[in-house]
Amino acid sequence: MDKSVVLPSDVELTEDLNEFEVTTNYKYFATPKLENKTFLQVSINDYSSYKFLPKIADILMEHVQIGTVNIDTNQKTSETLISLGSNPNILTKRGLLKQ
């Protein structure tokens, strides 16, 4: 649902103008050579169909804000990856398996 809102230029106001769900896939990413953390990434397919504006957006999971992301609308691909930060419950360890 779109809302038409007129905002005065001399007043700072925060309001949710449009809220919608996005179909996503989650992927874990780790580089144990550099860091022993595992990161969660979200992949949004058909990114251009959502008509995002180039702004900073809040990331919510189960109605809790877990971070922010800078939305880049100049991407050339139909898929975008957004990092949701490290997952402290999954650790990676790099070690030699065979000599």
Side-chain angles (χ1 to χ4, degrees):
M1 179 174 90
D2 289 334
K3 295 181 190 178
S4 296
V5 179
V6 177
L7 300 175
S9 62
D10 61 343
V11 175
E12 185 174 327
L13 178 68
T14 302
E15 182 179 342
D16 293 335
L17 297 177
N18 204 353
E19 184 177 309
F20 55 91
E21 292 187 23
V22 176
T23 304
T24 59
N25 293 310
Y26 294 94
K27 300 175 185 180
Y28 285 101
F29 177 76
T31 53
K33 184 176 181 180
L34 301 175
E35 197 169 8
N36 288 339
K37 292 182 179 179
T38 303
F39 296 90
L40 180 60
Q41 291 182 328
V42 63
S43 167
I44 301 174
N45 294 325
D46 200 16
Y47 176 73
S48 61
S49 70
Y50 292 104
K51 298 181 179 151
F52 290 123
L53 296 174
K55 291 286 182 181
I56 295 177
D58 294 327
I59 303 294
L60 303 171
M61 285 185 105
E62 298 177 2
H63 305 288
V64 175
Q65 181 181 1
I66 61 168
T68 59
V69 64
N70 185 22
I71 296 181
D72 179 12
T73 58
N74 294 323
Q75 295 188 38
K76 303 293 184 214
T77 62
S78 63
E79 176 189 45
T80 188
L81 291 173
I82 298 172
S83 176
L84 299 179
S86 65
N87 186 334
N89 297 322
I90 302 175
L91 298 176
T92 55
K93 184 177 178 183
R94 183 174 183 237
L96 182 64
L97 295 178
K98 271 188 181 176
Q99 271 291 37

